Amino acid sequence: MQFHEVRFPASLSFGSVGGPERRTEVVTLANGFEERNTPWAHSRRRYDAGLGMRSLDDIETLIAFFEARRGQMYGFRWKDWSDYKSGVSSAAPVFDDQVIAVGDGETLSFSLIKTYQSGPHSYARPITKPVLGTVRVGVAADEMQEGVDYTLDIDAGLITFAHAPERDVDVTAGFEFDVPVRFDTDQIQTSVASFQAGSVPNVPVVEVRV
């Protein structure tokens, strides 16, 4: 995977517009009923980075970042200000924000996930780009210590325990996270005159699978 472990400047992603998209295939039958199916197990996020540009200095930063990524060639980290924590946005992550697995007495490694719940239905989103220094992990309602009880692969969102959690106990985690993305264009068009008049460039960004 061609990916640079560097975050798009968070000050520039603040103010951007975007969010998750799904792909649903809808077939209307002769009797008016519908059949719906989706080839995607997970949603995919899209953003417009151009809306975060507020000055010509911001444009220069954007162009430097774009050139260093070779346009669409290399992915990078993106902070989605509307959804970047394991718990509520107003609180710091705690070790029991999310139940990421249930121990079986044998498995050592677990991937981070964030579960979105609405009534009896839920969606578990894989988290592959946690933010360094924000991850907290618990087992059976007790917080674990990184480097002693477990190690963390920050580039893959994978927790590996020194000893397998016992059977039927909850493995929990709290964290901040980034979205793995790439530019969805190989061209950025800017104009000093139009920018001073309030026009900003269109800079599409799309989530990638890692």
Side-chain angles (χ1 to χ4, degrees), residues 119-132:
H121 304 286
S122 63
Y123 162 63
R125 174 187 178 185
I127 301 299
T128 58
K129 299 297 178 185
V131 176
L132 183 66

Side-chain angles (χ1 to χ4, degrees), residues 13-37:
S13 63
F14 186 81
S16 62
V17 172
E21 69 170 356
R22 290 277 181 174
R23 177 168 295 176
T24 306
E25 298 170 348
V26 181
V27 176
T28 303
L29 306 179
N31 58 10
F33 285 91
E34 292 181 345
E35 290 186 355
R36 294 183 293 273
N37 188 36

Side-chain angles (χ1 to χ4, degrees), residues 7-73:
R7 178 194 270 181
F8 186 84
S11 61
L12 301 187
S13 63
F14 186 81
S16 62
V17 172
E21 69 170 356
R22 290 277 181 174
R23 177 168 295 176
T24 306
E25 298 170 348
V26 181
V27 176
T28 303
L29 306 179
N31 58 10
F33 285 91
E34 292 181 345
E35 290 186 355
R36 294 183 293 273
N37 188 36
T38 176
W40 288 6
H42 301 290
S43 55
R44 191 182 197 188
R45 282 154 174 78
R46 290 183 179 273
Y47 308 94
D48 184 353
L51 296 178
M53 305 297 111
R54 298 172 183 84
S55 70
L56 292 179
D57 289 346
D58 290 345
I59 295 295
E60 290 179 3
T61 301
L62 167 66
I63 291 175
F65 194 92
F66 178 85
E67 292 285 23
R69 306 289 87 74
R70 307 297 194 272
Q72 299 185 75
M73 180 63 69

Side-chain angles (χ1 to χ4, degrees), residues 129-151:
K129 299 297 178 185
V131 176
L132 183 66
T134 69
V135 179
R136 301 173 65 180
V137 175
V139 174
D142 291 324
E143 186 167 6
M144 302 288 102
Q145 184 176 350
E146 184 176 359
V148 176
D149 301 306
Y150 70 93
T151 57

